[in-house]
Amino acid sequence: MATHTDGFIQVLNSQNRGNFGGTADIAIRRIRPQLPPGATPGLQIVMVAGRTVPARVSFDLQSNAAGGHYSWAREIADSCQADVWIMEAQGHGASSRPGPMSDPCNILKQGDGSQQSVFGQVLCEPRWTGNCGSSDSEWQELDTVVDHVRFMTSRDNPSWASQSTGRVVLIGYSAGANVVGPYAMQHPEKVWGLLLLAPIFPPDGPGDRPGPPADPVVAPDPTRTEKFYGAPMGVLTKDKVWQGLGQDAGCPEPERNDAVIDDLWSAMMQNETASDSVPGHQIYRWPTRYWWGWNRSLVSADQRLGKEPVGGAPTADVGIPVLIIAGLRDGAIRAKADFTDGRGGFSVDSLYQAIAGRGKAMMYDIECASHLIVWQEPYRRKLHELSIEWLTGFANYVGPASNPAFTPVRLRRGGSGRYFVPRNGGPLQEWNGHVFVNSRRRGPIIVRPNG
């Protein structure tokens, strides 16, 4: 069974706006598989979570409910014989909380996770306006973690860099895609592959940093973005953790196990020092961040995304395989309207279509699964199965294509394309992402890009 160790990595002169250029402690968890004496893992994986829930809860939840095995990270580590590193973004979990997050008045006034939505009223005006973090700060944090992983792995296994060209696989969940996707495009020499679960993708989102590099990063036009960026943090309460699933024609209500919710909330509260800062409410704080550099034009212009990797090739020839896993019931990643005030509606279909390379650009659409698939029955098990199969394929990449030991990935479900994953089992079927007729139901599932 996999075991873990926890630690911190310091980010000097953090670009997080709420830190005012100070040092930040980024919490990391290293999960290691059980291996024979002297053996070392080859594959190194770094996992980055989304906007609201801490990464350890998303990826390494410890719960015995519904048969247990909620830790996606440990399933990967054991099945792929890989080291899995979980990174907590600044403002989450055990990582540093920027100063403005200590003031309960600095909670968004309206919108998702706001004073109005959580407490039923605006209790006080924010004393520090604007978003807390940004793409600059989160890319800086991720780069520090990736370099630490590469150093530690090479120290433990000096031949690792020659076997896998010193690259890691990045996994981004939800808004974590805003971090790992652009980072992979900026640092292809460090990235072996990209797995995106329920990725947030604004096709027409901002491509560049707003304002000169010397200026603090804030969302442009605060009058339009107040619901999403008008204060340094939003909050969650236990009754808000599992919501927004709603009914969908032909889909049963996804199973909600209350014991899992109890374990989930308990894990979120483990490092929350301000849980009772608002009398009568136990809250979890999350930082607001402004992201850019992740849109249709930038992704489609990068010829490396979705291309077969070639171990040992020059940086210019690097390919970055991409796997997307998404729930068909996930309304967050198929938004019809701009619910974030400023970045446009999200579309996972547009992301898949924008990826230029088709060597290993795959997408699995899981019927009836939601945005909370990491804790959802029975779809979390399908997530584990599909991702492990894809990640296991990287073991075949052991050097340059000229090396006799080099063989491309060959998966039993097919090497590329888009697949429909039935909720009740059965074979995966190739799918164009628009219309698929399910014989067990009266009508077809219809999913259109951005809708």
Side-chain angles (χ1 to χ4, degrees):
M1 296 290 292
T3 58
H4 77 270
T5 55
D6 292 332
F8 293 91
I9 297 177
Q10 284 196 329
V11 178
L12 301 178
N13 299 318
S14 167
Q15 297 184 44
N16 184 296
R17 184 169 172 244
N19 255 355
F20 307 104
T23 298
D25 290 327
I26 302 302
I28 58 169
R29 170 166 290 179
R30 184 181 191 179
I31 298 177
R32 311 206 72 180
Q34 186 173 15
L35 296 172
T40 57
L43 194 61
Q44 301 295 313
I45 300 168
V46 178
M47 305 182 84
V48 180
R51 181 171 62 115
T52 56
V53 178
R56 292 181 189 177
V57 182
S58 293
F59 301 131
D60 193 30
L61 179 65
Q62 303 300 299
S63 175
N64 292 321
H69 295 280
Y70 277 87
S71 174
W72 184 21
R74 292 174 196 262
E75 295 295 314
I76 288 173
D78 283 332
S79 297
C80 300
Q81 297 292 276
D83 269 357
V84 179
W85 305 74
I86 298 174
M87 178 190 113
E88 292 283 21
Q90 193 174 166
H92 275 300
S95 293
S96 295
R97 300 292 177 103
M101 291 182 68
S102 63
D103 185 347
C105 285
N106 286 332
I107 299 170
L108 292 165
K109 290 198 299 182
Q110 56 180 333
D112 184 27
S114 67
Q115 296 183 47
Q116 183 66 50
S117 65
V118 173
F119 312 129
Q121 61 179 316
V122 176
L123 302 177
C124 49
E125 290 289 322
R127 287 187 268 261
W128 199 85
T129 58
N131 49 285
C132 203
S134 69
S135 288
D136 274 349
S137 62
E138 297 208 336
W139 293 337
Q140 180 191 26
E141 292 167 17
L142 177 57
D143 193 46
T144 303
V145 171
V146 167
D147 282 348
H148 174 78
V149 169
R150 298 170 76 211
F151 170 79
M152 294 294 290
T153 307
S154 295
R155 187 196 66 177
D156 296 344
N157 179 10
S159 64
W160 173 73
S162 62
Q163 292 173 346
S164 63
T165 69
R167 299 178 204 147
V168 304
V169 174
L170 298 178
I171 294 180
Y173 174 30
S174 187
N178 290 303
V179 183
V180 301
Y183 180 86
M185 293 191 288
Q186 296 164 19
H187 298 282
E189 76 283 0
K190 299 181 182 182
V191 180
W192 201 218
L194 198 57
L195 196 165
L196 304 175
L197 171 64
I200 295 297
F201 182 72
D204 302 312
D208 300 315
R209 185 189 195 281
D215 292 344
V217 177
V218 296
D221 191 1
T223 60
R224 289 190 62 223
T225 61
E226 186 181 56
K227 289 195 297 183
F228 208 74
Y229 305 111
M233 65 177 164
V235 294
L236 273 177
T237 56
K238 185 177 179 181
D239 64 321
K240 299 287 185 181
V241 170
W242 193 290
Q243 63 177 358
L245 293 179
Q247 288 289 348
D248 189 9
C251 285
E253 184 69 19
E255 291 186 25
R256 167 180 169 159
N257 188 302
D258 287 337
V260 173
I261 304 302
D262 290 343
D263 292 339
L264 191 161
W265 185 249
S266 176
M268 290 179 66
M269 289 293 100
Q270 186 174 358
N271 294 293
E272 180 51 88
T273 58
S275 62
D276 57 353
S277 58
V278 179
H281 297 274
Q282 190 180 49
I283 60 173
Y284 176 83
R285 301 166 295 163
W286 51 266
T288 60
R289 290 99 92 191
Y290 183 72
W291 293 294
W292 62 88
W294 184 234
N295 61 28
R296 179 167 30 214
S297 61
L298 291 171
V299 169
S300 61
D302 194 318
Q303 299 299 305
R304 294 165 300 205
L305 290 181
K307 177 184 174 185
E308 288 272 8
V310 178
T315 300
D317 294 330
V318 166
I320 302 175
V322 179
L323 171 64
I324 300 171
I325 300 179
L328 278 178
R329 200 180 180 196
D330 188 344
I333 60 175
R334 295 183 172 90
K336 296 180 180 179
D338 178 4
F339 63 86
T340 65
D341 294 322
R343 287 188 294 164
F346 300 146
S347 173
V348 67
D349 298 276
S350 294
L351 171 59
Y352 180 71
Q353 292 160 5
I355 296 173
R358 282 293 178 265
K360 290 298 298 171
M362 295 192 296
M363 181 168 174
Y364 293 133
D365 291 279
I366 301 179
E367 183 186 18
C368 292
S370 78
H371 199 67
L372 307 182
I373 187 172
V374 289
W375 311 300
Q376 187 186 1
E377 293 294 337
Y379 315 111
R380 63 184 175 92
R381 301 177 190 276
K382 183 61 68 173
L383 163 66
H384 297 172
E385 176 188 345
L386 295 171
S387 59
I388 287 168
E389 182 190 22
W390 188 76
L391 290 165
T392 302
F394 282 90
N396 292 324
Y397 292 104
V398 294
S402 58
N403 187 324
F406 174 88
T407 55
V409 170
R410 290 291 178 262
L411 303 179
R412 60 190 173 88
R413 301 185 190 281
S416 61
R418 187 166 182 175
Y419 300 89
F420 173 83
V421 184
R423 69 177 187 270
N424 293 324
L428 277 67
Q429 302 186 41
E430 292 191 27
W431 188 36
N432 64 11
H434 294 275
V435 178
F436 181 85
V437 178
N438 184 343
S439 61
R440 295 191 301 274
R441 290 171 45 183
R442 294 182 179 179
I445 298 171
I446 301 176
V447 177
R448 296 184 178 87
N450 204 32

